[in-house]
Amino acid sequence: MDDKPGWETVTALITVKAYPVIGRKTGESVCVAGVRLDRPEREFVRLFPVPFRELATENQFKKYAFVQVRAQKGMTSDRRPESLRPDLSSLRVGEVVPTARRWHDRWDLLDPLAGATTACRLAAAAKVSGQDAPSLGLVKPREILDVTVADNPDYKKATGLGDMPEADLFGNVLTPLEATPFIAKYRYYCEDCTGNPHHQSIIDWEAGQLGRRLLREHRTAEQARAAIRTRFLDEMASPTKDTHFYLGNQHQYPGSFMVLGVFWPPAGSRPLPGLF
Ligand SMILES: [Zn+2]
C-alpha cells in the first residue's frame, strides 16, 4: 500500500481487546492493542478508536489474528507513543495464530516482549514522563496472590449504560451496551516489587462478557463472582501455566495500569533462547 503523508501501514498481531467504553466524541469503542510485525523490532501498538460492533462480521477480528490497517498519529489528547488512529476502511483481517504445539507460534511472535518490562518499571516511568512513557507491556508476575471480584457500581441491569446515541451516521442502531456487572482484579507481585503488591483491574472483553453470561444463565451474583475467580485464578494463573499480563494505562491517568488481557501458555513452553 502507498501511504499518504502522515499515514503508515501497520501489520500487527492483535493481542488485546478490552471491554467497550463509551466516549462522548468516539461513541462506543474498544481499545485494541497488538504487536507490530512491520518494524525491525517487536513493539506494541494501540489502535483507537475501534467501534468493534459496527465492523462488518468478517472484520470482527479475534485475539491473535493478524491484521493490516492504515493508521496515523491521532490529533487528539492521546500522546502515548504506541497510540495510532486506524482508518478502518483499510482493515484487512488474516488468520488466527493457533495454540497448537504448546503455543509455539504465539511464542515465536511474542518472545522478545514477554517479561521485557515490569509493572513497577512501567509505573515509575509514567510517573516521570507521563504520556511520553511506554504505555503497554507484557509482564511476568513473580507471584499471583489472588483475584478479587467486586460488584460494579456502574452496572445497571435493566438499562445498560443508557447514554448510547440512538443511531449512528448511517442509521444503524446497536443494542445498547451493558456495563460489565463485576470488576475483577489481579493482586500480584511483579519481578521488581519491593513493597505492596499490585492490585489491577482486568478489563479484557472476555472478562466483562463472562460476568454478563453468568447472570443471564441465572447464576446468583455470588456464584458468578466465584466462577470469574476460578477462571482467572485457578485456570489462567494456575501453576501449570506460564502466566503473563498485558498491561496498559489510560492516557488521562498514565500512572495507573490495568490488566488488558492474559497470556497463559503452558508452563515450560517458552522456547529456549536462540531457538528461533
Ligand atoms: Zn511491582
Side-chain angles (χ1 to χ4, degrees):
M1 287 187 233
D2 272 344
D3 294 317
K4 282 181 244 157
W7 289 82
E8 54 190 309
T9 299
V10 174
T11 305
L13 176 76
I14 298 297
T15 55
V16 160
K17 253 165 54 181
Y19 198 76
V21 292
I22 299 193
R24 225 170 265 134
K25 287 182 197 152
T26 51
E28 179 188 318
S29 54
V30 172
C31 172
V32 167
V35 176
R36 287 188 75 159
L37 307 172
D38 57 296
R39 292 286 183 99
E41 308 276 336
R42 296 279 188 266
E43 56 184 74
F44 279 109
V45 62
R46 174 187 295 99
L47 299 172
F48 188 87
V50 176
F52 193 80
R53 298 197 303 164
E54 293 172 36
L55 294 176
T57 314
E58 67 272 18
N59 278 346
Q60 295 193 354
F61 48 81
K62 296 191 163 68
K63 279 191 283 186
Y64 298 98
F66 292 113
V67 301
Q68 194 171 66
V69 68
R70 273 195 303 273
Q72 67 172 163
K73 268 280 166 210
M75 304 293 138
T76 66
S77 52
D78 181 1
R79 297 193 323 270
R80 293 173 296 180
E82 304 90 343
S83 293
L84 292 175
R85 191 180 181 87
D87 167 11
L88 292 166
S89 70
S90 69
L91 176 67
R92 288 161 61 192
V93 178
E95 62 183 34
V96 172
V97 177
T99 56
R101 295 191 296 147
R102 290 166 59 78
W103 293 50
H104 178 277
D105 297 340
R106 294 187 183 184
W107 270 122
D108 193 7
L109 297 162
L110 291 169
D111 186 70
L113 292 170
T117 187
T118 70
C120 282
R121 223 183 298 163
L122 286 168
K127 207 170 177 182
V128 174
S129 308
Q131 278 201 51
D132 297 323
S135 68
L136 291 165
L138 179 54
V139 312
K140 166 92 181 139
R142 186 176 71 216
E143 185 186 358
I144 297 169
L145 301 169
D146 203 358
V147 170
T148 61
V149 188
D151 293 330
N152 179 3
D154 293 335
Y155 174 64
K156 299 190 200 97
K157 202 172 166 190
T159 58
L161 287 183
D163 58 354
M164 280 287 293
E166 287 186 357
D168 67 15
L169 289 173
F170 308 102
N172 300 314
V173 181
L174 288 170
T175 318
L177 178 79
E178 199 176 67
T180 172
F182 305 104
I183 297 175
K185 295 184 179 187
Y186 273 113
R187 225 156 54 79
Y188 69 98
Y189 291 111
C190 81
E191 297 281 7
D192 286 339
C193 275
T194 52
N196 294 329
H198 301 280
H199 194 203
Q200 294 170 334
S201 298
I202 305 167
I203 62 161
D204 185 274
W205 179 305
E206 277 174 21
Q209 292 291 51
L210 176 61
R212 294 176 56 201
R213 182 166 59 78
L214 290 163
L215 293 186
R216 253 201 330 267
E217 291 169 356
H218 305 296
R219 312 276 191 100
T220 64
E222 195 183 338
Q223 288 168 334
R225 285 194 297 264
I228 292 168
R229 185 169 178 272
T230 299
R231 172 76 176 147
F232 282 88
L233 187 64
D234 303 335
E235 292 176 28
M236 299 172 90
S238 93
T240 65
K241 306 296 175 193
D242 187 5
T243 308
H244 291 64
F245 298 144
Y246 294 103
L247 298 189
N249 60 8
Q250 290 178 299
H251 75 272
Q252 306 95 323
Y253 312 104
S256 112
F257 280 81
M258 295 167 297
V259 177
L260 308 180
V262 184
F263 178 61
W264 50 301
S269 63
R270 187 172 192 162
L272 298 169
L275 215 64
F276 291 123

